[in-house]
Amino acid sequence: RAEPTDDLMTGLALAEADGDRLSEIELTAVAGLILFAGHETTSNMIGLSLLHLRANPDQIELLDANPELWPNAVEELLRFDPTLRSDPRTALQDFELAGQQIKKGQNIVVMTQLANRDHRRLPDADTLRVDRDDPAPLTFGHGIHYCLGAALARAELRTALPRLLDALRDYRIDHDGTEWCESLSLRGPNRLPLTRSQVEPAKSPRNPPCARIAPTSPLPCDRENGKRGEATSCRKRSSRSSGCSVSTRSGSSYPSS
């Protein structure tokens, strides 16, 4: 407020309704929400998606042959391994669920990743299929609690993932060097080391026209949680491959051919 600039936080700080402005505590809370909900969850999903696509090369081949599947692939990746593992709620009234009595005022935790893999709906729920009919992930919640940033997150994933696969091509992941975020509610790699072969870019890009924003089984490396992510670093290993250390929290980089 003392030194306003043309940015989002200045807009929030100067916003006024009937003579009332956000307090410093409220501004701090909003800034934290923007950083967490608007950045960390999506960056985690990018890292998780790269991991699962590499573990299922047939799905990468399917996307190469059918780039129009990318919007559906993003929905399937959001279903298969969501970064937000649980969602807390408070019961507004007494009710019974699956034989369990829930009392008004009790705290409830919705396990999103379990709901996304309900075998009563999807018999092969533990299989990643980018061409799955109607993945319908519950990752963004439901009803009045539906995530306000869902459209932005989808747009970011539909834009970033095809371009990353185009740039990285036949990449390999160093599972021993992968470091995971230490959280009960969030899942994702803080640091994702990978190498890529020096292959000429594909003549037909993976990015379909609709990528311009059209309206779990644990991994082996899951067993070892590392420290928080380090700054992104990159180095040449040989004339045939490049070494890259991608930090999904602070950004990513890879060497040019």
Side-chain angles (χ1 to χ4, degrees):
R1 288 168 179 163
E3 299 179 7
T5 57
D6 185 18
D7 57 28
L8 175 61
M9 292 312 300
T10 297
L12 289 171
L14 298 180
E16 185 176 322
D18 299 327
D20 189 23
R21 288 181 171 181
L22 294 175
S23 68
E24 185 174 339
I25 293 177
E26 290 170 328
L27 282 171
T28 302
V30 170
L33 180 62
I34 292 173
L35 179 63
F36 170 75
H39 168 69
E40 187 170 13
T41 51
T42 305
S43 63
N44 281 346
M45 269 310 306
I46 291 174
L48 289 170
S49 298
L50 289 175
L51 279 161
H52 291 304
L53 287 171
R54 184 65 273 165
N56 295 272
D58 59 318
Q59 299 303 293
I60 296 180
E61 293 175 3
L62 186 58
L63 287 167
D64 270 340
N66 305 274
E68 69 278 3
L69 285 175
W70 264 112
N72 195 77
V74 166
E75 298 302 299
E76 172 69 352
L77 288 163
L78 286 166
R79 179 201 70 81
F80 187 71
D81 194 6
T83 181
L84 190 63
R85 316 299 284 170
S86 58
D87 209 359
R89 293 286 182 264
T90 300
L92 299 180
Q93 61 186 36
D94 295 349
F95 66 97
E96 181 178 328
L97 178 65
Q100 180 69 40
Q101 292 294 328
I102 307 296
K103 299 295 184 182
K104 179 180 179 180
Q106 283 187 326
N107 293 327
I108 304 169
V109 176
V110 179
M111 305 302 292
T112 313
Q113 83 279 17
L114 296 182
N116 280 342
R117 294 203 183 191
D118 189 343
H119 287 264
R120 292 172 299 181
R121 178 176 180 269
L122 301 174
D124 62 342
D126 294 332
T127 301
L128 180 69
R129 286 180 43 208
V130 297
D131 60 347
R132 182 185 300 278
D133 291 334
D134 190 26
L138 291 174
T139 303
F140 293 116
H142 183 69
I144 63 172
H145 295 291
Y146 192 75
C147 175
L148 292 175
L152 175 60
R154 283 188 168 102
E156 291 174 326
L157 292 170
R158 291 174 184 177
T159 300
L161 289 174
R163 285 164 172 76
L164 278 171
L165 289 190
D166 266 344
L168 296 173
R169 302 305 300 163
D170 187 21
Y171 64 98
R172 295 290 182 269
I173 293 174
D174 176 9
H175 292 285
D176 291 333
T178 299
E179 297 175 359
W180 293 83
C181 63
E182 299 175 356
S183 171
L184 293 176
S185 59
L186 272 182
R187 167 176 162 81
N190 283 343
R191 184 172 180 271
L192 186 61
L194 55 85
T195 58
R196 65 164 187 164
S197 299
Q198 293 290 0
V199 180
E200 289 297 323
K203 292 183 179 179
S204 340
R206 300 172 194 258
N207 305 309
C210 52
R212 289 196 289 264
I213 309 174
T216 77
S217 297
L219 294 170
C221 52
D222 251 344
R223 294 192 293 268
E224 295 182 5
N225 286 338
K227 300 178 180 178
R228 291 198 169 272
E230 302 171 357
T232 300
S233 62
C234 200
R235 65 187 183 279
K236 284 277 188 178
R237 285 193 175 175
S238 72
S239 58
R240 299 193 50 164
S241 66
S242 302
C244 242
S245 171
V246 177
S247 169
T248 59
R249 180 161 299 176
S250 59
S252 64
S253 69
Y254 38 81
S256 59
S257 300

